[in-house]
Amino acid sequence: MTRSPLLLGLDAGGSGTKWTLVRAGQSVASGRTAPFTAALLGTPAGDAALAELGAALPGRPDAAHAGVPGLSAGSDRAAQVAAALAGTLRVDAAHLSLEGDLDLAYRSHLSPGAGVLLYAGTGSVAYHVGRAGEVVRAGGRGYRIGDDGAGFSLGRAALRVLTAAIDRGQEPDSPLAREVRAVTGGTDWDTLRSFTYGDPGASAVARLAPAVSRAAEAGDAEASHLIEEAAQSLAELARRVQEQAGPLPVTATGGALRSPLLAAALGRALPGVNVQQRDHAEAAARYAGAQFGG
Amino acid sequence: MTRSPLLLGLDAGGSGTKWTLVRAGQSVASGRTAPFTAALLGTPAGDAALAELGAALPGRPDAAHAGVPGLSAGSDRAAQVAAALAGTLRVDAAHLSLEGDLDLAYRSHLSPGAGVLLYAGTGSVAYHVGRAGEVVRAGGRGYRIGDDGAGFSLGRAALRVLTAAIDRGQEPDSPLAREVRAVTGGTDWDTLRSFTYGDPGASAVARLAPAVSRAAEAGDAEASHLIEEAAQSLAELARRVQEQAGPLPVTATGGALRSPLLAAALGRALPGVNVQQRDHAEAAARYAGAQFGG
């Protein structure tokens, strides 16, 4: 009896690369290494991230599949990333495939044509892949314009509540202010400014989203209102895709929806939505098996 | 008869340093050099900016006054900046004074205690200086949180209108879309993303504010709505300061209010507001004269 092949799945992204190894249908190892995206390919940071990934894997995979931000399957850039990954992972290039991170996220939850994936992490996007591979999307415009309802926008909204109080000469001391203070170290403007505009800047703001959720759980009316607004914004993204792709069911996922209050609010704003969390790296490994055997 | 002293005024800021020389009550020369702020002091960029300023002045001033972002008069940092400026400008340190950029802006339009200054450029802030020098302010929280109603926020709002249209599968072709395209080079998402998140990033978004104004003038209903919203946001900042400082008259200034439509909308949102534009560097020079003789 031949041993089952070892399958690697990668969920690459700007904040880290999640990897999972699957054998005979079981996850046998997983981990997280430095960020790797198509944009990092060929840079010192990208080279270091690839080397770290290669060193972290406890075995040589027989096949691999990866989701990488900003990549279209079949593009020149995808071929370059595939070659780099095949070399690092010592995987036969014929047993390695790539797609965009949103395509992998969609694949992890839904079959082509089956629904709309609503993702809410630091940013937000609604995404549909049709039976013929056609894509309809809404949102995902980044923190300077959009990403409404997700982590950055919740953190931004909390900071707006506090700075409006400061404008009115009030010392913020609501549950929301206390939860924010626990993250930022203070709710005076000098501290909030350093938190918002210092290093690491924009991604720090998203770290306030759980504080909003905790404040709402503690009964803070403004925090509860921000959660409701976020849910409405996310529902709107899903509806924009439904307007294009048809009245398909919506599956919602992403770190922001680990907040039970936001998930519940989304259920009210978008009746019938199915909130679920899955390991996209593990889904990638299973897909490698489906494609290349395993 | 002794010749009247030569007075230098500086309006320093993150996007450039404006200088004006005044003699006998008349502006005799003015110009613009590289950005200089307190944060740049001692950095290569700050040293280069100071050297450029020193070389640009056609004469050695007898006295000078400067408004510098993020500086409190009398602070250690202010003393360091004053020493650096005195050396570069070859001005007797006893004839050089400094204050924060918002204090200079207030001084350029209003006497202490006389009113509320509403500033709308790339960012927005409402500012009051009382008779005893006490300050009340609202807004000025930067583009990641606030600055509602000013350049960045108008540009952001225009980009949100266009990306919402893209989400709905529409090819943006309104007057607003055409005006934005004239600045960005395109209204497809790849072009808008590069414009928004590339270099110079956030400040580029503010460059779209005049496009919103032109589109509103061309009859674009969405652009007109954005202008009205911006005016309401600016009025709200002024009202927050009035709540603290009393029902004082409001003077509004800044590049965003060079749009006649925004200025008119602000007049409706905040009846009695006085919109005026003044050269803050020239006001600084005149203040140097008032303090040190001239």
Side-chain angles (χ1 to χ4, degrees), chain B residues 102-202:
Chain B
L102 293 175
D103 295 294
L104 172 59
Y106 184 89
R107 177 188 304 288
S108 302
H109 297 268
L110 290 160
S111 307
V116 176
L117 184 72
L118 177 60
Y119 177 83
T122 295
S124 59
V125 67
Y127 203 78
H128 168 73
V129 179
R131 288 183 204 284
E134 74 277 18
V135 165
V136 180
R137 54 177 291 174
R141 308 306 180 184
Y143 73 97
R144 285 187 185 160
I145 309 178
D147 283 344
D148 300 19
F152 181 86
S153 111
L154 266 171
R156 177 181 190 265
L159 290 167
R160 286 175 65 89
V161 168
L162 296 192
T163 54
I166 293 170
D167 282 353
R168 296 196 171 90
Q170 297 157 6
E171 178 87 26
D173 194 36
S174 58
L176 180 60
R178 291 194 290 274
E179 292 291 350
V180 168
R181 192 180 301 135
V183 178
T184 59
T187 47
D188 60 291
W189 173 232
D190 278 350
T191 303
L192 296 179
R193 177 169 51 197
S194 298
F195 180 82
T196 306
Y197 294 98
D199 199 30

Side-chain angles (χ1 to χ4, degrees), chain A:
Chain A
M1 181 184 149
T2 318
R3 205 175 181 207
S4 298
L6 189 63
L7 306 166
L8 172 66
L10 295 177
D11 179 19
S15 58
T17 303
K18 283 172 272 180
W19 60 266
T20 296
L21 285 165
V22 166
R23 194 192 292 278
Q26 297 298 316
S27 169
V28 293
S30 64
R32 189 182 178 98
T33 54
F36 180 75
T37 63
L40 284 173
L41 185 67
T43 68
D47 293 346
L50 278 177
E52 186 191 342
L53 174 63
L57 299 182
R60 177 177 163 174
D62 298 294
H65 181 72
V68 182
L71 212 62
S72 303
S75 64
D76 288 353
R77 196 72 175 158
Q80 292 163 2
V81 173
L85 277 175
T88 298
L89 307 172
R90 294 175 297 137
V91 174
D92 185 340
H95 291 163
L96 186 145
S97 60
L98 290 177
E99 64 188 334
D101 61 332
L102 294 175
D103 295 294
L104 172 60
Y106 184 90
R107 177 190 303 288
S108 302
H109 296 269
L110 290 161
S111 306
V116 177
L117 184 72
L118 177 60
Y119 177 84
T122 296
S124 59
V125 67
Y127 203 78
H128 168 74
V129 180
R131 287 183 205 285
E134 74 277 18
V135 164
V136 180
R137 56 178 288 174
R141 308 305 181 184
Y143 74 97
R144 284 186 187 161
I145 309 179
D147 284 345
D148 299 17
F152 181 85
S153 107
L154 266 171
R156 176 181 190 267
L159 290 167
R160 287 174 65 88
V161 168
L162 295 193
T163 54
I166 294 169
D167 282 354
R168 296 195 172 89
Q170 297 157 6
E171 179 86 24
D173 193 37
S174 59
L176 179 60
R178 290 194 291 274
E179 292 292 348
V180 168
R181 192 180 302 136
V183 179
T184 59
T187 46
D188 58 291
W189 172 232
D190 277 350
T191 303
L192 296 179
R193 177 171 50 198
S194 300
F195 181 82
T196 305
Y197 295 98
D199 197 31
S203 65
V205 175
R207 288 172 46 216
L208 295 178
V212 178
S213 199
R214 286 191 295 270
E217 282 164 24
D220 188 293
E222 281 178 309
S224 299
H225 178 66
L226 299 185
I227 296 278
E228 294 294 330
E229 280 188 332
Q232 293 291 345
S233 296
L234 292 174
E236 165 68 12
L237 290 182
R239 281 193 289 264
R240 285 188 194 172
V241 169
Q242 287 175 323
E243 284 168 22
Q244 306 293 308
L248 296 164
V250 180
T251 298
T253 191
L257 292 166
R258 294 190 192 279
S259 156
L261 286 183
L262 181 55
L266 182 62
R268 291 188 295 276
L270 196 66
V273 65
N274 173 26
V275 177
Q276 63 180 214
Q277 303 289 351
R278 287 189 178 165
D279 180 336
H280 297 175
E282 186 175 331
R286 293 183 196 283
Y287 183 62
Q291 285 185 98
F292 305 120

Side-chain angles (χ1 to χ4, degrees), chain B residues 52-77:
Chain B
E52 185 190 342
L53 174 62
L57 299 183
R60 178 177 163 175
D62 299 294
H65 181 71
V68 181
L71 211 61
S72 302
S75 64
D76 288 352
R77 195 72 175 158

